[in-house]
Amino acid sequence: IFCKVNATEFSRVISNVIDNAAEAISENGSISVCIKRSKSYLLICIADDGCGMSDETKKKVLEQGVSIG
């Protein structure tokens, strides 16, 4: 799949995901970011060791205009 994105918007999305992860972790928690690039793709992985999302939140998280938290 090829996807052309607006750099400013893409940066905002990544920043929001990292900000959300920071809010989810404890004082001594951690966030890891992994970026892999090849000629044909860019893979970005963001993970934290926070408590996770409830099943109800998972259902809503991709709805447009929904703010969680």
Side-chain angles (χ1 to χ4, degrees):
I1 297 174
F2 176 78
C3 181
K4 187 174 180 179
V5 298
N6 174 290
T8 301
E9 292 296 320
F10 185 70
S11 176
R12 185 175 298 144
V13 168
I14 298 301
S15 178
N16 285 343
V17 171
I18 293 172
D19 287 347
N20 290 344
E23 291 177 10
I25 61 174
S26 66
E27 184 177 327
N28 295 317
S30 65
I31 300 170
S32 63
V33 178
C34 171
I35 300 172
K36 294 182 182 182
R37 178 179 158 202
S38 77
K39 290 182 181 181
S40 60
Y41 70 88
L42 176 68
L43 174 67
I44 301 174
C45 302
I46 302 170
D48 66 68
D49 59 2
C51 62
M53 293 185 280
S54 69
D55 289 340
E56 187 64 29
T57 299
K58 289 177 190 177
K59 291 176 186 175
K60 295 179 181 178
V61 75
L62 296 179
E63 292 178 19
Q64 186 173 358
V66 171
S67 179
I68 307 296

